[in-house]
């Protein structure tokens, strides 16, 4: 039996202590992010000045990286406010994906900035300018302290949010970059090897590309409505159809609305004597317990007698429940995926 009552009976969005949380805890997370933003913004301004005075591309690249840190936190704060707005009008999910767009922007910014810094670093490798190694060492050590403090602040926020995790990864990469810059400064002071500054910059570039690619990839999966990385849709379909009296599952879609908030919809056929309501409730509990998916829309219908003997739904248009089924059809026993 199909219809809205089947898809939504006994299914709400209030999840008890054993449920799940969506996005971020706005008040607490905003406070920690704001503290981290203050630390990073203040030190970044100081570092730019010192980097110019010391003629150190490594320090300037670290400051540029810190700028992306600050931007990522600002975007996270904006995304939190947008995501907290209730769903209305044409935005039936609200603006929860604002954080995913923010994460995508963070990743692209990191990659583009890395390209520019790589160009400058290679140029300085071929023609290294004089570098004030002492200033580089002191500033880098101070940067390590600031980044440790900022990383600790953001670690107190809800890192299940992709935009918060993106800001955290920004700062963590910056911490490693400062360590590399400090080592380069020591080398310049003790050996006079000025290329060490450019080499440290290239290390920063590699870290930025790695972090940027990760953010673009993960946010891209969500924007393209791919299944969560840890969920195999075929395995889910096989698990659902193994539950008696289910005979077939098709039009199975699994996607991520926003960080930590997966959703699923499917058309489920049960034996003619099966209880559609009971099956739907059982499948919802199964999806919650085994896959952590609680946002489900299941259309449960009785299978027609003829369908039970047909090789694949849709071969006979008169027997098909869906005129244009998307994806594989899951049935009991061996079947193609």
């Amino acid at each position: 039996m199909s219809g809205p009552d089947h898809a939504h009976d006994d299914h709400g969005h209030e999840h008890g202590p054993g449920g799940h949380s969506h996005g971020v805890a706005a008040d607490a997370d905003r406070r920690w992010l704001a503290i981290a933003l203050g630390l990073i913004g203040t030190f970044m301004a100081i570092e730019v000045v010192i980097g110019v005075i010391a003629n150190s591309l490594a320090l300037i690249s670290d400051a540029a990286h810190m700028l992306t840190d600050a931007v990522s936190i600002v975007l996270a704060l904006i995304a939190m406010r947008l995501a907290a707005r209730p769903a209305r009008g044409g935005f039936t999910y609200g603006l929860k994906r604002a954080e995913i767009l923010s994460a995508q922007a963070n990743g692209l910014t990191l990659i583009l900035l890395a390209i520019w810094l790589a160009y400058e670093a290679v140029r300085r490798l071929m023609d290294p300018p004089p570098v004030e190694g002492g200033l580089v060492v002191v500033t880098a050590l101070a940067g390590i302290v600031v980044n440790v403090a900022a990383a600790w602040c953001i670690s107190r926020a809800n890192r299940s949010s992709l935009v918060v995790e993106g800001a955290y990864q920004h700062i963590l990469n910056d911490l490693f970059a400062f360590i590399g810059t400090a080592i380069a400064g020591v080398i310049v002071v003790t050996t006079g090897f000025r290329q060490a500054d450019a080499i440290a910059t290239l290390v920063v570039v590699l870290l930025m590309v790695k972090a940027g690619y990760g953010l673009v990839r993960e946010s891209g999966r969500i924007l393209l409505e791919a299944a969560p990385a840890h969920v195999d849709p075929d395995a889910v379909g096989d698990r659902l159809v193994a539950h008696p009296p289910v005979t077939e599952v098709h039009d199975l879609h699994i996607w991520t609305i926003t960080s930590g908030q997966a959703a699923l919809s499917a058309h489920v056929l049960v034996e003619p004597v099966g209880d559609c309501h009971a099956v739907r409730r059982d499948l919802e509990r199964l999806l919650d317990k085994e896959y952590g998916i609680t946002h489900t829309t299941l259309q449960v219908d009785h299978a027609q007698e003829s369908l039970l003997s047909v090789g694949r739904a849709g071969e006979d248009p008169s027997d098909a429940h869906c005129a244009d089924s998307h994806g594989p059809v899951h049935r009991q026993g061996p079947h193609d995926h």
Side-chain angles (χ1 to χ4, degrees):
M1 313 239 308
S2 62
D5 56 320
H6 283 33
H8 299 287
D9 287 351
D10 302 305
H11 178 224
H13 293 280
E14 294 182 6
H15 308 291
H20 63 286
S21 62
H22 302 320
V24 292
D27 294 338
D29 290 355
R30 286 174 190 163
R31 182 176 68 251
W32 287 115
L33 289 174
I35 293 172
L37 179 61
L39 289 170
I40 289 171
T42 301
F43 187 80
M44 178 187 67
I46 296 172
E47 187 180 19
V48 169
V49 175
I50 296 176
V52 172
I53 294 173
N55 199 24
S56 169
L57 182 62
L59 284 181
I60 294 174
S61 67
D62 285 337
H65 199 310
M66 291 193 87
L67 175 61
T68 66
D69 296 345
V71 171
S72 71
I73 295 175
V74 170
L75 290 175
L77 291 169
I78 294 172
M80 286 178 191
R81 290 193 175 276
L82 292 175
R85 293 182 179 179
R88 61 165 60 96
F91 295 93
T92 56
Y93 282 123
L95 296 175
K96 295 184 182 297
R97 282 203 173 169
E99 68 161 297
I100 307 304
L101 293 173
S102 172
Q104 183 102 148
N106 283 341
L108 291 172
T109 301
L110 275 172
I111 292 172
L112 291 174
L113 191 56
I115 293 172
W116 175 74
L117 289 173
Y119 168 77
E120 287 295 323
V122 170
R123 193 169 65 84
R124 289 197 173 206
L125 274 176
M126 295 185 293
D127 184 20
V131 176
E132 293 291 336
L135 275 176
V136 172
V137 173
V138 172
T139 307
L141 291 176
I144 291 172
V145 174
V146 170
N147 273 269
V148 167
W152 181 82
C153 288
I154 293 186
S155 71
R156 305 284 293 176
N158 181 5
R159 286 175 54 199
S160 68
S161 166
L162 187 59
V163 72
V164 174
E165 177 64 16
Y168 180 78
Q169 289 299 327
H170 267 262
I171 292 175
L172 201 60
N173 280 306
D174 211 15
L175 172 61
F176 296 144
F178 271 113
I179 294 173
T181 300
I183 293 173
V186 171
I187 292 174
V188 171
V189 170
T190 57
T191 68
F193 183 63
R194 292 181 294 179
Q195 285 92 337
D197 185 75
I199 293 172
T201 302
L202 290 175
V203 173
V204 176
V205 165
L206 291 176
L207 292 172
M208 292 171 71
V209 170
K210 179 177 180 293
Y213 172 75
L215 286 173
V216 170
R217 181 190 60 202
E218 291 304 314
S219 58
R221 283 183 59 87
I222 293 176
L223 292 176
L224 292 174
E225 308 231 321
H230 65 284
V231 176
D232 180 357
D234 286 333
V236 174
D238 290 344
R239 182 68 183 88
L240 294 177
V241 82
H243 181 82
V246 177
T247 63
E248 179 178 307
V249 175
H250 58 266
D251 277 348
L252 172 62
H253 301 286
I254 308 174
W255 69 100
T256 303
I257 300 170
T258 189
S259 301
Q261 192 171 347
L264 177 148
S265 67
H267 192 183
V268 180
L269 302 184
V270 301
E271 295 173 356
V273 297
D275 184 339
C276 291
H277 292 282
V279 168
R280 179 184 49 74
R281 288 192 293 267
D282 289 345
L283 294 183
E284 286 177 348
R285 283 192 291 266
L286 182 153
L287 290 167
D288 184 8
K289 181 180 179 181
E290 298 188 15
Y291 301 98
I293 301 175
T294 57
H295 290 265
T296 60
T297 302
L298 300 176
Q299 179 184 347
V300 184
D301 291 314
H302 286 129
Q304 299 175 20
E305 291 287 351
S306 56
L307 275 178
L308 298 177
S309 60
V310 174
R312 178 181 175 89
E315 291 181 355
D316 183 351
S318 64
D319 291 333
H321 279 261
C322 295
D324 184 20
S325 180
H326 300 96
V329 174
H330 299 268
R331 286 187 168 160
Q332 296 178 0
H335 56 274
D336 294 334
H337 283 157

